[in-house]
Amino acid sequence: MRSRLLPLSLAALTLLTAAGCSSSGSPAAAGPTELTVWIMRDSLTDGLVQRFEADFEATHPGITLKIQIQEWDGIGQKITSALASKDAPDVIEVGNTQVAQYAAGGGVRDLSAKTAELKGGDWIPGLAEPGKVDGKQYGIPWYAANRVVIYRKDLFAQAGITAPPKTRDEWIAATEKLNTGGNEGIYLPGQNWFALSGFLWDEGGDLAVKGSDGKWQGALDTPQAAAAVAFYRKLQALGHGPKDSDEGKPLQAEVVAQGKTAQVISTPGGAGAILKANPALKDKLGFFPIPGKTADKPGAVFTGGSDLVVPEASRHADAAYQVVKELAGEKWQTEIAKEMSYVPNRTSLAGVLSGNEGAAAMAAGAVNGHATPNSPNWAAVEANNPIKQFLTQVLTGADPAAGRRASEAITKALNSAG
């Protein structure tokens, strides 16, 4: 999955709307209303798109949908251009961590008044929080995905481990047992900043914090960050992961496919890549939520996924909201979650994934989901990603002041104009 900073980036110019409601909801002209909806490539199957379109039009007489599939490449600029225009799509799927960026331009409608009707109190936090900017709900949570631990059931059994760990201490103890006999307890590359972020949130810290003056301050030089890194270092040492690269170098699925690795942190979809590289591991892979500090709560995870927004320039705002309401509602959340193995937007719907082991583990972890700092400039941080550099430096002992330097880089990026 794309994190929507990583796995999930989003959005373009094609604007077609017929007469319907004005953006204030008052009639603009007689006749049917045509709504343009932008959905990202691979967010839904063709079958889901067709079923939703047919169902919506049947239950909303007088409204027709034009669902346009958008490509990931260059989508950010397309959405920015569309939101700045006078003629925009009526509903747009955007990455959950991108809402602040688009809201900052003033082209996204405030849907705060609709949160109660949409069961906002039940939304998973990793989608709801980044959709809310300065107290206003611009992005409506749609679907999510997050990392879990993919593990080798057979290697766990050989090590005498009868159940997946639920706490950090249990996780370390189990991984130590697995890191014997030529096996690797866990493959954790040194620059997996998504994993570090979860450990940091568990410690009560964050990647950056916003002061009362509205300025952001990087927070990798705090006691909480030191505790998170200490756990990361301890876990990473129980495998052979490189300290100077991320999950893509080498591809961690290919590492696990070699047959000696007991665990890896990944989205559940990573299991498919492992099995493609080594079909002999079929029926040997299992999933569990990243363990937390205590057994009553899973470890914090980065939540990637999508929100739905309604542009201010939509000429059919009331009808557009109906599309959002349906896509974010129980019926379609259930169908989409089951068919796409996504985490639904509501915590109370996690049970719909009970028959899918990987997705169920993902949903269990999603209740402690978080997003990156809610700044329109977050993309500038990821451009050079000082968090990755920080991890390598602390794991190798190369720079005793790594936390301060990384915090300064984050502070500068988040407070830069433009």
Side-chain angles (χ1 to χ4, degrees), residues 51-337:
R51 295 203 307 273
F52 174 75
E53 196 171 66
D55 182 83
F56 184 88
E57 291 178 356
T59 55
H60 296 79
I63 300 177
T64 59
L65 298 184
K66 178 168 282 191
I67 297 178
Q68 298 177 342
I69 304 303
Q70 302 298 317
E71 301 296 336
W72 292 103
D73 200 25
I75 193 59
Q77 185 54 52
K78 276 180 113 177
I79 291 181
T80 299
S81 299
L83 294 178
S85 73
K86 294 181 179 179
D87 187 18
D90 300 284
V91 178
I92 304 177
E93 173 192 354
V94 303
N96 60 320
T97 61
Q98 298 170 335
V99 176
Q101 174 186 345
Y102 300 134
V108 180
R109 183 169 292 271
D110 175 13
L111 297 174
S112 301
K114 303 295 187 181
T115 57
E117 182 179 19
L118 295 172
K119 311 297 183 186
D122 194 24
W123 287 338
I124 60 175
L127 288 183
E129 290 168 3
K132 192 172 188 177
V133 183
D134 295 330
K136 297 179 180 179
Q137 196 75 43
Y138 294 97
I140 301 304
W142 191 22
Y143 67 82
N146 49 264
R147 286 162 178 76
V148 299
V149 180
I150 300 176
Y151 74 102
R152 285 279 301 277
K153 294 180 179 180
D154 55 331
L155 296 183
F156 267 55
Q158 290 172 23
I161 303 168
T162 58
K166 291 189 175 181
T167 69
R168 281 191 186 181
D169 289 342
E170 291 176 359
W171 195 15
I172 292 294
T175 305
E176 288 173 341
K177 286 184 178 180
L178 293 160
N179 195 32
T180 57
N183 292 326
E184 179 180 34
I186 187 168
Y187 179 77
L188 178 58
Q191 294 185 347
N192 188 333
W193 69 279
F194 298 109
L196 174 72
S197 298
F199 303 154
L200 179 54
W201 291 320
D202 278 338
E203 297 293 345
D206 209 332
L207 299 169
V209 294
K210 191 175 185 179
S212 57
D213 60 355
K215 299 291 186 181
W216 287 91
Q217 177 70 46
L220 293 180
D221 54 348
T222 63
Q224 293 88 349
V229 169
F231 180 73
Y232 192 106
R233 181 188 288 112
K234 188 173 184 179
L235 186 64
Q236 204 261 348
L238 296 174
H240 311 303
K243 293 179 171 62
D244 59 352
S245 64
D246 61 18
E247 308 95 304
K249 301 175 184 178
L251 291 172
Q252 60 182 18
E254 295 182 357
V255 174
V256 180
Q258 292 172 15
K260 293 293 186 179
T261 301
Q263 303 173 93
V264 67
I265 296 172
S266 171
T267 58
I274 294 169
L275 293 176
K276 183 177 180 180
N278 186 355
L281 294 180
K282 187 176 185 298
D283 300 324
K284 294 181 180 180
L285 300 180
F287 310 83
F288 60 87
I290 292 174
K293 297 186 75 171
T294 57
D296 61 329
K297 188 176 184 181
V301 289
F302 167 78
T303 302
S306 284
D307 282 16
L308 299 170
V309 300
V310 176
E312 285 282 11
S314 167
R315 293 182 292 182
H316 318 290
D318 287 354
Y321 168 69
Q322 294 303 316
V323 174
V324 172
K325 182 180 178 181
E326 291 292 334
L327 286 172
E330 182 173 351
K331 175 182 178 179
W332 288 101
Q333 282 294 296
T334 299
E335 290 210 23
I336 292 170

Side-chain angles (χ1 to χ4, degrees), residues 334 337-338 342-344 346-356 359-360 363-364:
T334 299
K338 287 182 174 179
Y342 292 148
V343 176
R346 302 184 199 174
T347 59
S348 63
L349 295 178
V352 305
L353 297 171
S354 59
N356 182 324

